[in-house]
Structures are given as structure tokens and as C-alpha cells.
Amino acid sequence: VDAQARFNLANLAQNGTVNTREIAIFARLLSSLQLNSALAQAVADAIAHAQQPVAGAQSAGQLLALSQLDDLLAVPGFDAAMLATLRDFVVLLPHATLLNVNTASARVLAARIATLSEADAAALDVEDASGRTPVRVARSADRRRDPRCCGIAGGRGCADADIAAGE
């Protein structure tokens, strides 16, 4: 399983500061799963808090870490059933990462790109007649310069920091 095919919860905050753009993306994902989208802010706050140095730690860089998805159960509003729903769509890696558009699910792609419907994202999964090149790769390359889909391909588009093409 490609971890970069999932929404990385570590993207919700960097250096203890929440990322409002990533919160909106996670909120769309939660909503598409029929979960409370307001939990995106609560998770972002928990991630940001976990990135703060722990008082009395051996080094200033030592952090209190959320290290696995099960740690979301400590966030008010999360329960085991919600966590089970999320497992196929999110990951908690040590650092922020890019999204691999070649392996991400249609649901994750649609959450990442607000102007892309889940149905349109699912249509990108169709392979060409040879079965070798996913249409997603070809269409992604065509959209590289489209500001609405900025960064969907791994070229030098305007938002390569957001999405990678799985080089």
C-alpha cells in the first residue's frame, strides 16, 4: 500500500501552526465519508499541539507525537467506527508529504482538488487500450498548467509541493 496515496494528517500543521488549506481538504474528505467535517479543525489542532516541544524534554526538538491513526481516538468527537471509516483514506506519517496522484483514490483526489468531482476523479482511473498507461497520468500531464488543477502532475507546475505524480 502506497502511504502517499492517502491524505497525510501530518499535512494539517507544520511547526505547530495549522495549515488552513489542508484543513479544508481534510474537511472535504470527512464530508465525503459522511463524517463531521468540523473534526478537521480538531485534528489539525491536535497535530499542531503534538508538534510543540515537550516541557522537560531532553532536547528542544523532542516532541509529544501522535504516531498512529489510533491516536485520533484522543481527539474529542472521534470514535472507533469513525476511525474504521477513515483508515483506507488517511495516514499519519512523521512529516508532511505529497499526494501520489497515480495511486490515490478518487475520493482523496476529489478532496484534494476542490474543482474535481469524485465521479471525474474516478474516470481518471480508466486505463488506455494497451492497459499500460493509466489515463490519470496522461490527463494529469495535460492539466499541469491549469490553475484549477495546479500541481496535479509531477512536472514543474505551480503547486508541485501539493501533489506528486509518483516519480
Side-chain angles (χ1 to χ4, degrees):
V1 176
D2 178 9
Q4 286 185 270
R6 298 174 182 194
F7 179 82
N8 182 4
L9 297 175
N11 292 358
L12 292 169
Q14 287 81 38
N15 301 317
T17 303
V18 297
N19 181 327
T20 56
R21 182 173 176 213
E22 294 294 321
I23 293 170
I25 293 164
F26 186 43
R28 284 193 296 270
L29 180 59
L30 289 170
S31 182
S32 77
L33 293 167
Q34 299 182 346
L35 299 174
N36 182 355
S37 62
L39 288 172
Q41 182 68 54
V43 174
D45 291 341
I47 297 288
H49 179 73
Q51 293 173 346
Q52 300 298 320
V54 177
Q58 293 177 350
S59 73
Q62 190 173 352
L63 302 175
L64 173 65
L66 296 176
S67 61
Q68 56 187 353
L69 286 181
D70 288 342
D71 294 337
L72 288 178
L73 294 173
V75 175
F78 265 94
D79 61 31
M82 295 170 79
L83 194 57
T85 301
L86 278 176
R87 280 196 192 279
D88 289 337
F89 304 100
V90 300
V91 66
L92 181 54
L93 298 173
H95 303 286
T97 58
L98 302 174
L99 179 68
N100 185 339
V101 298
N102 292 316
T103 56
S105 69
R107 183 163 278 160
V108 173
L109 280 176
R112 168 65 59 190
I113 305 167
T115 58
L116 184 68
S117 72
E118 194 171 329
D120 287 343
L124 295 175
D125 284 333
V126 179
E127 292 186 353
D128 71 5
S130 70
R132 290 176 293 168
T133 305
V135 173
R136 179 179 286 178
V137 174
R139 288 187 185 166
S140 294
D142 291 340
R143 292 181 179 199
R144 189 175 7 216
R145 290 177 186 84
D146 184 339
R148 293 170 298 144
C149 297
C150 202
I152 194 169
R156 298 291 179 250
C158 59
D160 287 330
D162 296 329
I163 302 174
E167 298 150 279

